[in-house]
Amino acid sequence: MDLKLLFITLLGIICCSSAQQEGNECIKANALSCGECIQVGAKCGWCTDTEFLKQGEPTSARCDELESLRKRGCAAAKIENPHGSQRILKNKAVTNRKKGAEKLQPEDITQIQPQKLSLNLRSGEPQNIKLKFKRAEDYPIDLYYLMDLSYSMKDDLENVKNLGTSLMKEMSKITSDFRIGFGSFVEKTVMPYISTTPAKLLNPCTGDQNCTSPFSYKNVLKLTSNGEQFNSLVGKQQISGNLDSPEGGFDAIMQVAVCGEHIGWRNVTRLMVFSTDAGFHFAGDGKLGGIVLPNDGKCHLENNMYTMSHYYDYPSIAHLVQKLSENNIQTIFAVTEEFQPVYKELKNLIPKSAVGTLSANSSNVINLIVDAYNSLSSEVILENSKLPEAVTITYQSRCKNGVVNEGENGRKCSNISIGDEFFNINITAQGCPKQVKPESIKIKPLGFTEEVEILLNFICECECHKHGIKNSDMCHNGNGTFECGACRVCICDANYTGSACDCSLDASTCLASNKQICNGRGICECGTCRCTDPKFQGPTCEICPTCPGVCTEHKSCRVCICDANYTGSACDCSLDASTCLASNKQICNGRGICECGTCRCTDPKFQGPTCEICPTCPGVCTEHKECVQCRAFGTGEKKDTCERDCSYFNLIKVKDRDKLPQPVQAFPLMHCKERDANDCWFYYTYAVNNTEKEVHVVEALECPAGPDIIPIVAGVVTGIVLIGLALLLIWKLLMIIHDRREFAKFEKEKMNAKWDTGENPIYKSAVTTVINPKYEGK
């Protein structure tokens, strides 16, 4: 059992290591530049050391987790790992104001701190902001009373006529700066809603009732601090009427929200009391009156009357939510008991709203308003504007009553009093937006005009990006910029592309005499025509030696009729492919195309006259090992035939491994590490520079000081694994034998069982037989 446990532990370690490697998001991103790397996540860094990459490692290997880069030998000073930061631009302290103190203008009162910040965001690295909110005592309040004046609200109007002075007196206990306004609504002024006949438009009520003409919305009184004026104007209002029960209150709410100048809203606490005893029409109901245009959410008041009710449909609930939030209006629905469930559902959709039960004649309206205000002001909820692409935000609230909330509840503090509430906000960028430019978001408490502006700047490039070398020799013909230590990834100048910026995008060299690219017979690749029509050839695919009607006069049409085995505009291209045969009798070793008797290697790894030389292919090191060993150290299997078999390359000895050439040259180069018969290591490079083969070898061997422990450890681990597998197989075999014995025993007992038989005493047959007494057997 100990061996089995050891085996399982070893498997767990191997699987864990594999999972860690597979889970390294930095490597999996395959980043080809420092900027791409740092956008993967906060754990990723980029090594700018030009000597960092080992032979065969791709450029993307420069991007790795910070600890991994250090373990791989990249010095801390060579690792690009920028961090985000933040700066407070406006930080006015919250106002400590007591009731009865010197009166301040609303714009001089501060309830949230700080007011403006600037963040530099690194992908995957959250920036934490601490916001302080303090509800100011004796804060000014604007209250607009919006009342349903349909006939069923007749008795309610009588009680509201004296609301102004009474509410002023009650609200003076909360604030010394209170203003009140009044508006009314009935229904859209189109036939199906208000009357069956035009005659009813003047007096929509029945019998001898004296009612005013119907209207959609009327702004009766702009916000004022004069309670007597409120009583006087409201006292002159008359009831109206309509046909259906739902009213057009949503039209009125929209106009109250967006017509700030007409209503007289200040930048203070804004309350709207919506008083009705009926339901509401919403978007789509306008079709009943032939209205199909959606509500435009704009102000349409003329002489304090809504003039476009016959033209625009009712607003949707979502549209109302947007406009109420934009204008910081908190809504109190004062509705009768019958419609409480409907408006409570509506309250759940409208943030910072409350529902109160209105008595049958609105006699309790003052208490309802005060209670609703206390409920709304005892809760602060933060909201933010639309977030830019790839940006997320989370909230945590630390409220004065000791409650800590996270997630969606982290946006709010409930049951607050006059005092400090704190919010921790984390803003995180997940990568960079497609268009990298500064963005801004705003955070504000719902129902308040104050807000926090946050400017966002994205860290999408490394510091080393600023120090790129333009027209670097590292890039083909100086056509690009070498930056951040990446020797094979160049940022190309205009009109150039390719991994080494060696491909021109200028197509002017491909224009034929008819102004077509490659005469319409080919493709322009890197400034050179590749003719796709086999009949055509030449620099711009204009020459067709075999086309019908070709002129035979060289001087007049510049076309030669070539002899057999020759082609080209000057018949200088041989069709004889014998010079392209490789040692395996394939044309260009199957790695290229024979053009005019010369191989053009299409596989970038292969080169040489017949595309057989591959300096960077696996096996190159093994192929040249014996020759390098005999020429450099006089050992190996070829030491006796070294001069005859191994003189095909130039040998250059260097002092140590750091002096070996690095793969940043224009010709392919392979780093090799081989071991001789004495377990000594020797290092060398093999390269083909044009037709010259060069070998650089470290002059000293690296021999172990003692026995190599690696084969011993490998043997031990292999033995443990094999023993563990054997134990598992034995355990499985024993379990199979045991299960078969138990099953055989069960079958035997079942066969030997003798079951008693009997009849259920309570069983009654479902069939009843009745004999006809008149039946005589005939």
Side-chain angles (χ1 to χ4, degrees), residues 762-776:
I762 64 174
Y763 171 76
K764 289 186 178 181
S765 174
V767 179
T768 302
T769 303
V770 179
I771 300 175
N772 187 348
K774 299 291 185 179
Y775 176 68
E776 297 179 352

mmCIF file of all heavy atoms in Angstrom, residues 762-776:
data_model
loop_
_atom_site.group_PDB
_atom_site.id
_atom_site.type_symbol
_atom_site.label_atom_id
_atom_site.label_comp_id
_atom_site.label_asym_id
_atom_site.label_seq_id
_atom_site.Cartn_x
_atom_site.Cartn_y
_atom_site.Cartn_z
ATOM 1 N N ILE A 762 -57.212 -11.245 1.185
ATOM 2 C CA ILE A 762 -58.047 -10.082 0.864
ATOM 3 C C ILE A 762 -58.209 -9.909 -0.639
ATOM 4 O O ILE A 762 -58.804 -8.941 -1.115
ATOM 5 C CB ILE A 762 -57.471 -8.791 1.469
ATOM 6 C CG1 ILE A 762 -56.102 -8.484 0.855
ATOM 7 C CG2 ILE A 762 -57.381 -8.876 2.980
ATOM 8 C CD1 ILE A 762 -55.546 -7.138 1.305
ATOM 9 N N TYR A 763 -57.645 -10.869 -1.431
ATOM 10 C CA TYR A 763 -57.747 -10.772 -2.890
ATOM 11 C C TYR A 763 -59.168 -11.100 -3.325
ATOM 12 O O TYR A 763 -59.785 -12.044 -2.841
ATOM 13 C CB TYR A 763 -56.757 -11.739 -3.550
ATOM 14 C CG TYR A 763 -56.959 -11.863 -5.043
ATOM 15 C CD1 TYR A 763 -56.528 -10.842 -5.904
ATOM 16 C CD2 TYR A 763 -57.599 -12.981 -5.568
ATOM 17 C CE1 TYR A 763 -56.736 -10.952 -7.261
ATOM 18 C CE2 TYR A 763 -57.802 -13.092 -6.937
ATOM 19 C CZ TYR A 763 -57.378 -12.079 -7.777
ATOM 20 O OH TYR A 763 -57.580 -12.178 -9.128
ATOM 21 N N LYS A 764 -59.715 -10.296 -4.236
ATOM 22 C CA LYS A 764 -61.015 -10.556 -4.834
ATOM 23 C C LYS A 764 -60.876 -10.456 -6.333
ATOM 24 O O LYS A 764 -60.265 -9.510 -6.828
ATOM 25 C CB LYS A 764 -62.057 -9.549 -4.344
ATOM 26 C CG LYS A 764 -62.458 -9.742 -2.905
ATOM 27 C CD LYS A 764 -63.598 -8.792 -2.527
ATOM 28 C CE LYS A 764 -64.030 -9.028 -1.063
ATOM 29 N NZ LYS A 764 -65.142 -8.125 -0.685
ATOM 30 N N SER A 765 -61.453 -11.391 -7.043
ATOM 31 C CA SER A 765 -61.336 -11.403 -8.495
ATOM 32 C C SER A 765 -62.094 -10.231 -9.089
ATOM 33 O O SER A 765 -63.137 -9.799 -8.569
ATOM 34 C CB SER A 765 -61.896 -12.712 -9.056
ATOM 35 O OG SER A 765 -61.897 -12.652 -10.470
ATOM 36 N N ALA A 766 -61.603 -9.750 -10.176
ATOM 37 C CA ALA A 766 -62.250 -8.636 -10.872
ATOM 38 C C ALA A 766 -63.417 -9.100 -11.727
ATOM 39 O O ALA A 766 -64.164 -8.285 -12.266
ATOM 40 C CB ALA A 766 -61.223 -7.912 -11.742
ATOM 41 N N VAL A 767 -63.623 -10.428 -11.842
ATOM 42 C CA VAL A 767 -64.686 -10.974 -12.693
ATOM 43 C C VAL A 767 -65.828 -11.485 -11.805
ATOM 44 O O VAL A 767 -65.593 -12.239 -10.855
ATOM 45 C CB VAL A 767 -64.154 -12.119 -13.582
ATOM 46 C CG1 VAL A 767 -65.289 -12.682 -14.439
ATOM 47 C CG2 VAL A 767 -63.012 -11.608 -14.448
ATOM 48 N N THR A 768 -67.054 -11.062 -12.098
ATOM 49 C CA THR A 768 -68.251 -11.523 -11.369
ATOM 50 C C THR A 768 -69.175 -12.250 -12.340
ATOM 51 O O THR A 768 -69.486 -11.708 -13.414
ATOM 52 C CB THR A 768 -68.997 -10.338 -10.725
ATOM 53 O OG1 THR A 768 -68.098 -9.648 -9.853
ATOM 54 C CG2 THR A 768 -70.220 -10.821 -9.962
ATOM 55 N N THR A 769 -69.615 -13.475 -11.978
ATOM 56 C CA THR A 769 -70.486 -14.269 -12.852
ATOM 57 C C THR A 769 -71.916 -14.236 -12.316
ATOM 58 O O THR A 769 -72.155 -14.529 -11.138
ATOM 59 C CB THR A 769 -70.012 -15.723 -12.925
ATOM 60 O OG1 THR A 769 -68.646 -15.731 -13.378
ATOM 61 C CG2 THR A 769 -70.873 -16.539 -13.888
ATOM 62 N N VAL A 770 -72.863 -13.835 -13.160
ATOM 63 C CA VAL A 770 -74.284 -13.742 -12.787
ATOM 64 C C VAL A 770 -75.096 -14.675 -13.704
ATOM 65 O O VAL A 770 -74.900 -14.647 -14.938
ATOM 66 C CB VAL A 770 -74.791 -12.290 -12.916
ATOM 67 C CG1 VAL A 770 -76.271 -12.220 -12.560
ATOM 68 C CG2 VAL A 770 -73.962 -11.365 -12.036
ATOM 69 N N ILE A 771 -75.993 -15.495 -13.114
ATOM 70 C CA ILE A 771 -76.817 -16.435 -13.904
ATOM 71 C C ILE A 771 -78.221 -15.874 -14.031
ATOM 72 O O ILE A 771 -78.865 -15.507 -13.035
ATOM 73 C CB ILE A 771 -76.863 -17.820 -13.242
ATOM 74 C CG1 ILE A 771 -75.437 -18.390 -13.144
ATOM 75 C CG2 ILE A 771 -77.783 -18.768 -14.000
ATOM 76 C CD1 ILE A 771 -75.365 -19.698 -12.396
ATOM 77 N N ASN A 772 -78.701 -15.760 -15.230
ATOM 78 C CA ASN A 772 -80.053 -15.261 -15.493
ATOM 79 C C ASN A 772 -81.063 -16.296 -14.959
ATOM 80 O O ASN A 772 -81.062 -17.447 -15.390
ATOM 81 C CB ASN A 772 -80.238 -15.069 -17.000
ATOM 82 C CG ASN A 772 -81.567 -14.391 -17.324
ATOM 83 O OD1 ASN A 772 -82.446 -14.259 -16.482
ATOM 84 N ND2 ASN A 772 -81.728 -14.008 -18.594
ATOM 85 N N PRO A 773 -81.940 -15.893 -14.023
ATOM 86 C CA PRO A 773 -82.900 -16.864 -13.443
ATOM 87 C C PRO A 773 -83.915 -17.380 -14.462
ATOM 88 O O PRO A 773 -84.517 -18.437 -14.274
ATOM 89 C CB PRO A 773 -83.571 -16.091 -12.315
ATOM 90 C CG PRO A 773 -83.362 -14.643 -12.676
ATOM 91 C CD PRO A 773 -82.065 -14.580 -13.403
ATOM 92 N N LYS A 774 -84.106 -16.663 -15.529
ATOM 93 C CA LYS A 774 -85.072 -17.082 -16.556
ATOM 94 C C LYS A 774 -84.461 -18.036 -17.573
ATOM 95 O O LYS A 774 -85.150 -18.609 -18.425
ATOM 96 C CB LYS A 774 -85.608 -15.855 -17.299
ATOM 97 C CG LYS A 774 -86.337 -14.871 -16.420
ATOM 98 C CD LYS A 774 -87.674 -15.450 -15.920
ATOM 99 C CE LYS A 774 -88.474 -14.422 -15.126
ATOM 100 N NZ LYS A 774 -89.779 -15.001 -14.674
ATOM 101 N N TYR A 775 -83.128 -18.181 -17.467
ATOM 102 C CA TYR A 775 -82.450 -19.039 -18.458
ATOM 103 C C TYR A 775 -82.756 -20.507 -18.186
ATOM 104 O O TYR A 775 -82.611 -20.974 -17.056
ATOM 105 C CB TYR A 775 -80.937 -18.789 -18.418
ATOM 106 C CG TYR A 775 -80.142 -19.687 -19.322
ATOM 107 C CD1 TYR A 775 -80.259 -19.566 -20.704
ATOM 108 C CD2 TYR A 775 -79.297 -20.662 -18.794
ATOM 109 C CE1 TYR A 775 -79.534 -20.387 -21.540
ATOM 110 C CE2 TYR A 775 -78.561 -21.486 -19.630
ATOM 111 C CZ TYR A 775 -78.682 -21.348 -21.013
ATOM 112 O OH TYR A 775 -77.945 -22.167 -21.826
ATOM 113 N N GLU A 776 -83.233 -21.265 -19.230
ATOM 114 C CA GLU A 776 -83.602 -22.668 -19.073
ATOM 115 C C GLU A 776 -82.696 -23.588 -19.869
ATOM 116 O O GLU A 776 -83.022 -24.741 -20.143
ATOM 117 C CB GLU A 776 -85.061 -22.860 -19.527
ATOM 118 C CG GLU A 776 -86.048 -22.085 -18.674
ATOM 119 C CD GLU A 776 -87.473 -22.261 -19.151
ATOM 120 O OE1 GLU A 776 -87.662 -22.866 -20.233
ATOM 121 O OE2 GLU A 776 -88.372 -21.799 -18.454
#
